[in-house]
Amino acid sequence: MEFPTELGILTCLSILLATLWMPYIIGVNTAPEGTLPDDAPDGFILPPNWRLHRPWVQRAYRAHMNLLEQFVPFAVIVLLLDRVGGLNAVTYWTCIAFFWLRVAHAVGYITGLTKFPARPIIFTLGWVCVLVLASQVFVGRMA
């Protein structure tokens, strides 16, 4: 049985998503004394106010949330495509592009290297990838 590249990409994205919480937790737990307001709750009290933390910690939180926002529809569509036999050259390259866009988005967001308009463009290109994959569900069904 062949393991499709699209499922490999989905696996790698799952690993990225599962580990992207780490920069945020590291940032929360390494906040220098006096950098949070005196009345700020402990970082582990839910819900934490991530806006009280240093900018890179805030960006780490948003990078994780942004990946989660796009991961769910991406995963559902890739699994659906695999189920209906709709994987093809378009889905192959779209999944690869999506993976590298998401890696670039996370690294750029957390480090602060990607600024407006680069980061929203990368996020939007990820959304376009999801739409291209979704179109392949219907293309495959109409053929």
Side-chain angles (χ1 to χ4, degrees), residues 66-91:
N66 282 170
L67 177 54
L68 187 58
E69 291 163 1
Q70 286 190 335
F71 177 81
V72 172
F74 175 85
V76 168
I77 293 168
V78 167
L79 292 172
L80 181 59
L81 283 164
D82 183 57
R83 174 70 173 90
V84 300
L87 300 176
N88 57 40
V90 172
T91 63

Side-chain angles (χ1 to χ4, degrees), residues 39-120:
D39 61 343
D42 180 316
F44 289 101
I45 295 175
L46 297 177
N49 187 349
W50 58 273
R51 291 180 180 95
L52 296 175
H53 294 285
R54 294 166 286 174
W56 77 266
V57 178
Q58 294 177 34
R59 292 190 306 267
Y61 178 80
R62 286 302 310 149
H64 185 250
M65 292 294 104
N66 282 170
L67 177 54
L68 187 58
E69 291 163 1
Q70 286 190 335
F71 177 81
V72 172
F74 175 85
V76 168
I77 293 168
V78 167
L79 292 172
L80 181 59
L81 283 164
D82 183 57
R83 174 70 173 90
V84 300
L87 300 176
N88 57 40
V90 172
T91 63
Y92 174 87
W93 289 109
T94 303
C95 286
I96 290 171
F98 184 81
F99 175 78
W100 289 111
L101 285 166
R102 294 311 314 173
V103 169
H105 186 272
V107 170
Y109 207 161
I110 293 169
T111 63
L113 293 174
T114 54
K115 305 229 185 285
F116 185 82
R119 194 175 64 241

